[in-house]
Amino acid sequence: MWLVGRPLHSADAPHQAVGRAVGLAIFASDALSSTAYATQEILVVLAAAGLGALHYVFPVSVAIVVLLAIVTLSYEQTIHAYPSGGGAYVVARDNLGELPAQIAGAALLVDYVLTVAVSVSSGVAQLVSAFPRLFALRVSISVALVIAITIINLRGVKESGKVIAVPSYFFIFITYVTVAVALFKYGTGTLGRVVDPPPMEHIGEFGALSLFLLLHAFSNGTTALTGVEAISNGVTAFKEPRSKNAGETLLWMGVILATLFLGISFLAAPVGAVPSESETVISQIARTAYDGRGLLYLATIGATTLILVMAANTAYAGFPRLSALQAADGFLPRQLTYRGSRLVFSRGIVALAVMASVLIIVFQASVTSLIPLYAIGVFLSFTLSQAGMTRRWWKVGRLPPGTEIHQRETVLRSDRLWRVKMLSNGIGAVLTAAVAVIFAVTKFHEGAWIIVIVIPSLVALFFAIHGHYLEAARVLSLDAFGAPPRVMRHRVILPISGVHRGTVVALRYALALSSDITAVHVSSDADTSRKVEQKWGLWGNGVRLVVLDSPYRLLLEPLLDYIKNVADRRQPNETLTIVVPQFVPRKWWHQLLHAQTAVILRLALINRPGIVITSVPYQMAPELDPADAAGVENG
């Protein structure tokens, strides 16, 4: 309790909602943090065409910002159309069908996992830029940070927002200051170039600048758009009016992201920044702007490190909510809908942490290695979301005035902007689909093929889970079930290894169930069996005893064969109950010293109809009467 805080009452849920200021920190930290590495990822591709090609970073960034504006405006419409949240998943489900919805869900879940891995790894890369000696510890530091963020989020939405708000706003402030100082020096002609630049890294073989290379750089830079959809997924986390607060937060996020991204991309060329794993581009710009590694430089690196680590929080806000939506629809395990003691989807949070940590370990916390896996999923979800909104506006245009299109809202045909909205969403869907294809083609051999396989596999898994839940619902349904069947006969089998207090307690319970009881003892030693028969004659209360010879000294196999033979001959509407005496010691490890017969019988007989396995525990508590110490656990 001390780690995640005191439990919250269900009635406290409305008080856990957040306003625009905290909402910006929680849901926009991922998108804003991408300014720390998006420019570098463009440069790392352009570097393959030589230093002269690095000047194309700004035009490529402008094209990305245009795409950002289209996507942001599209999701702003989504927020108002779907105030209950859900983003691309709900839009695709309501307008395109289950298959597109599950594709969007799979793409977003993969993106959220990668968001944590990339953000934390990039944050540690900033730290390593300032303190190179930590390079060998980057994986351990990254995993430790994931654990810390997980604990913060398990404490609840409101508390995690308070923790994240300070570093998020400090990053925005210090980055604007750094960009402003650098632009001022550039305007006055006093901005120098990077002193002792790090070794330049690039992707692919050296060659001439080509359209393919520019498209590759563009696809790398579109990582700046990851996280834009998070606010539309988490509308329900905002205070009322939810859609208004969420929409305004999204627009503010878009403006801040665009200006910081363009500023950093513009400055990369004048300062001569080069892409490198050993020092990030933002570090090179900061130490050039501040003429070394002084206090303001360290503040910039510290703020960038914090925002990149905190950016993972966007995924912690989105992944559990989305997985809970899919679980409620029956496409993921129902357990993911469970809200923990702090009113958060704690099981989804833990699942996200485990998967992200595995990725960090496998890819050794390398941002360049993780990036190729990153943006395909999010752009696929962008495409499905905007295609769904396009179809939605088309349906709105065909409806007569006042017709309800969704249960929770009424959309009137008198909305004169529906054609404009349909056109803008349609253009956005085409553009984001093109980016997804470009990303898949240009990065296929760098690891993107993994995502091309993973997303269809996840969709197949979702439908397999859904098929199971549908089958379970059909089997458990009372429709056409008729009158409840009356049990005409109840038969009990009582396996015993010896005659003792636990056996007597189990016999008393069996007699309360039925008068048709058979005690069964498996004999591998004649002398022991004779003693069991003698004691049973005294304590067995007249119940018949069957002794099964076991010349090969097997214990469970003869018992299982006997039970199965009795079960095969049972009468209609007859229930066969296996009552198993179970000795319960006072210390948990003492359980290892006793045979777990009830557990083994359950596993062996669970699939046979008409059989119930009941364990009757006898607690090792000398101060209690044996009859009082016995409880019943139905299996």
Side-chain angles (χ1 to χ4, degrees), residues 41-66:
E41 295 307 316
I42 297 172
L43 290 173
V44 78
V45 175
L46 294 175
L51 290 174
L54 299 184
H55 291 279
Y56 284 90
V57 64
F58 186 67
V60 171
S61 299
V62 171
I64 292 170
V65 168
V66 172

Side-chain angles (χ1 to χ4, degrees), residues 81-85 93 236 242 404-411:
Y82 294 91
S84 297
R93 184 191 64 189
T236 54
R242 289 175 177 174
E404 291 191 5
I405 190 172
H406 295 292
Q407 291 181 353
R408 299 179 183 175
E409 59 172 322
T410 301
V411 182

